[in-house]
């Protein structure tokens, strides 16, 4: 298993390259020669897959890859397995993956070089993993586990993925529409450790109506300031939204049924998920990225669910579980890569100390190909962090070139409108965060000032514990948004 964790990933060849290799092989010898034991270590996986595909042209590429890996790269053994009457070694996928596997085999594509980890588990292990407590993380400290199978992603992360989510023409049209929009996207500017920095990619915020655009520009606060560029959802984004809504709600229901008591998490909203806003991100080239962070919960509330569509260039989505520590000097865990610490207690030195424990359980990399829907479930923002890591190289997309477009659909709660939430001494609506790193108060929510995140402005020491009911609705003090409380060091 260690080989799957630490081995270097193989570069994915373009379909045309694979086809060319297969054609060249057949022209040289009308009867393809299967790999011998001496060849198995020297021939590339691309070559073996192309050879196997030429022998079984009607078989799905992902299945061919799974069978090839199950037989240690032996094309002869894999071909024998495929021509026999016995079932393939690949386990049946979960219902979360059923949507993606319903796509015709002719349009499906292999998403990476790894067979499902479920092929290495016994039937008893599969049953216990699915029906009882979450499985132990397979990632290790300082290493990255690469996952491609929807079944593995569902089992080992707080995410679900659906490949080939939209019809091909619809996905491509949505991509083309947003590429035009992205030409005028901007980088956000914020303050980090008293330095003014820019985000490493461009983005824009979208809402459903013109009226909501005005509300967002005048009443909502992001990173301590207001948004100048708020746009109405494009026609194709609006048409895709119901499909995203249906898929996300089905995935939420499936995940809840997989829990031991078939129940939602504490503070998770019981109402159906309904997106009414979206951030659209554009990553132009392999170096544009976003560091490890958790999304702000201020307007989403506790246990938020986010639906994320990837279009264009395939990139790696990395996640890592937050490990709380028992340290009297540890501050509340940050829920945003762009935030400063409470009352300026943050520093580069303390961030370095946090990094020593942040990767204690390693990272998990999820491959996000074009036209995939990733669902970040209710445990994601409080217990994990996620990132889009810089890539050493990428495979250009025929439509977007070097660009990746990402749409994150969100469900804003009307009861978390800024007119209800507490205001700090700066008279700015406070931001909602959660304690992530300290065991003593791990999982508790709190309100704090965020005005100091704006370049040229200073924040205050406002702090207030947040109280939510079982369904994630806020319980306000005296029926209002709460008052001002001084933050005391070491109590968060």
């Amino acid at each position: 298993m260690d080989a799957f964790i630490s081995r270097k990933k193989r570069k994915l060849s373009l379909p045309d390259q694979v086809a060319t290799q297969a054609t060249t092989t057949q022209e040289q010898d009308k009867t393809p020669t299967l790999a011998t034991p001496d060849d198995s270590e020297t021939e590339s996986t691309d070559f073996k897959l192309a050879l196997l595909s030429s022998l079984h042209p009607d078989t799905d590429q992902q299945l061919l890859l799974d069978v090839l890996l199950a037989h240690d790269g032996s094309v002869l053994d894999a071909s024998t397995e495929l021509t026999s009457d016995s079932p393939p070694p690949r386990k049946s996928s979960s219902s979360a993956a059923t949507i993606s596997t319903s796509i015709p085999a002719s349009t499906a594509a292999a998403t990476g070089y790894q067979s499902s980890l479920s092929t290495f588990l016994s039937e008893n292990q599969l049953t216990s993993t699915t029906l009882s407590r979450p499985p132990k993380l397979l990632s290790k400290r300082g290493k990255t586990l690469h996952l491609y199978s929807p079944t593995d992603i569902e089992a080992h992360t707080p995410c679900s993925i659906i490949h080939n989510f939209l019809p091909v023409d619809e996905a491509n049209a949505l991509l083309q529409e947003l590429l035009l929009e992205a030409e005028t996207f901007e980088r956000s500017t914020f303050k980090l450790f008293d330095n003014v920095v820019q985000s490493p990619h461009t983005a824009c915020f979208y809402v459903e109506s013109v009226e909501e655009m005005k509300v967002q520009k005048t009443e909502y606060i992001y990173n301590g300031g207001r948004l100048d560029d708020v746009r109405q959802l494009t026609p194709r984004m609006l048409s895709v939204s119901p499909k995203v809504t249906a898929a996300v709600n089905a995935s939420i229901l499936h995940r809840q049924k997989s829990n031991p008591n078939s129940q939602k998490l504490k503070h998770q909203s019981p109402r159906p998920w309904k997106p009414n806003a979206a951030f659209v991100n554009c990553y132009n080239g392999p170096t544009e990225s976003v560091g490890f962070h958790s999304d702000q919960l201020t307007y989403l509330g506790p246990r938020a669910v986010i639906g994320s569509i990837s279009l264009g260039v395939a990139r790696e989505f990395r996640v890592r579980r937050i490990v709380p520590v028992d340290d009297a000097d540890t501050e509340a865990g940050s829920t945003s890569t762009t935030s400063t610490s409470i009352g300026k207690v943050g520093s580069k030195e303390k961030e370095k100390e946090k990094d020593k424990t942040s990767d204690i359980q390693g990272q998990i990399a999820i491959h996000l190909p074009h036209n995939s829907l990733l669902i970040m479930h209710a445990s994601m923002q409080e217990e994990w962090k996620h990132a889009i890591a810089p890539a050493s190289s990428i495979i250009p997309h025929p439509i977007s070139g070097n660009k990746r477009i990402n749409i994150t659909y969100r469900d804003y709660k009307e009861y978390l409108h800024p007119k209800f939430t507490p205001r700090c001494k700066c008279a700015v609506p406070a931001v909602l965060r959660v304690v992530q790193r300290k065991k003593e108060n791990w999982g508790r929510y709190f309100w704090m000032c965020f005005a100091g995140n704006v370049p040229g402005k200073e924040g205050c020491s406002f702090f207030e514990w947040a109280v939510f009911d079982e369904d994630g609705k806020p319980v306000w003090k005296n029926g209002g948004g709460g008052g001002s409380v001084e933050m005391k060091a070491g109590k968060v």
Side-chain angles (χ1 to χ4, degrees), residues 56-275:
H56 304 275
D58 297 327
T59 304
D60 176 53
Q61 290 283 305
Q62 181 64 55
L63 180 57
L64 291 176
L65 180 60
D66 285 354
V67 176
L68 184 63
L69 290 173
H71 290 282
D72 298 323
S74 171
V75 179
L76 178 60
D77 293 344
S79 181
T80 303
E81 176 75 23
L82 290 168
T83 54
S84 67
D85 294 331
S86 60
R90 189 181 184 183
K91 298 289 183 182
S92 60
S93 57
S94 64
S95 57
T98 303
I99 301 177
S100 64
T101 55
S102 63
I103 303 297
S106 59
T107 61
T111 57
Y113 291 116
Q114 178 181 330
S115 64
S116 172
L117 295 176
S118 59
T119 61
F120 297 91
L121 302 177
S122 66
E123 205 65 43
N124 290 336
Q125 287 175 311
L126 283 172
T127 302
S128 63
T129 296
T130 304
L131 301 179
S132 61
R133 67 183 185 280
K136 182 179 178 180
L137 280 181
L138 297 179
S139 56
K140 296 182 179 181
R141 184 170 189 166
K143 296 184 179 181
T144 300
L145 172 66
H146 297 272
L147 297 182
Y148 300 90
S149 162
T151 306
D152 294 337
I153 293 167
E154 180 82 25
H156 300 287
T157 73
C159 303
S160 303
I161 192 168
I162 301 173
H163 295 137
N164 303 304
F165 174 62
L166 298 171
V168 175
D169 291 342
E170 186 174 7
N172 292 341
L174 177 61
L175 172 58
Q176 290 171 329
E177 180 183 67
L178 291 178
L179 285 172
L180 292 175
E181 289 279 315
E183 292 178 359
T184 52
F185 286 2
E186 296 180 351
R187 300 177 188 273
S188 60
T189 303
F190 53 91
K191 194 162 62 177
L192 186 65
F193 304 125
D194 294 328
N195 296 318
V196 177
V197 298
Q198 282 191 328
S199 61
H201 67 280
T202 58
C204 191
F205 187 58
Y206 289 78
V207 291
E208 291 183 316
S209 65
V210 174
E211 181 182 354
E212 184 61 26
M213 287 170 54
K214 296 178 181 178
V215 171
Q216 284 287 338
K217 289 182 178 181
T218 58
E219 300 177 19
Y220 280 77
I221 298 294
Y222 295 88
N223 291 331
R226 301 194 186 279
L227 292 179
D228 296 325
D229 190 4
V230 180
R231 307 180 188 182
Q232 188 175 5
L233 290 173
T234 65
R236 293 197 179 276
M237 287 176 69
L238 280 170
S239 66
V240 167
S241 183
K243 298 179 181 180
V244 176
T245 303
V248 170
N249 281 307
S251 186
I252 293 172
L253 183 60
H254 165 76
R255 202 169 187 89
Q256 288 181 4
K257 287 182 177 179
S258 299
N259 290 338
N261 299 320
S262 297
Q263 295 179 348
K264 68 179 185 66
L265 299 179
K266 183 180 180 181
H267 301 317
Q268 183 178 356
S269 175
R271 75 181 192 183
W273 183 81
K274 187 179 184 302

Side-chain angles (χ1 to χ4, degrees), residues 447-477:
W447 299 97
M448 63 167 285
C449 172
F450 221 56
N453 197 61
V454 179
K457 293 186 178 181
E458 298 293 330
C460 65
S461 58
F462 172 81
F463 171 86
E464 178 180 301
W465 287 117
V467 181
F468 293 92
D469 65 15
E470 189 68 27
D471 294 335
K473 288 191 174 182
V475 179
W476 302 122
K477 288 184 177 181

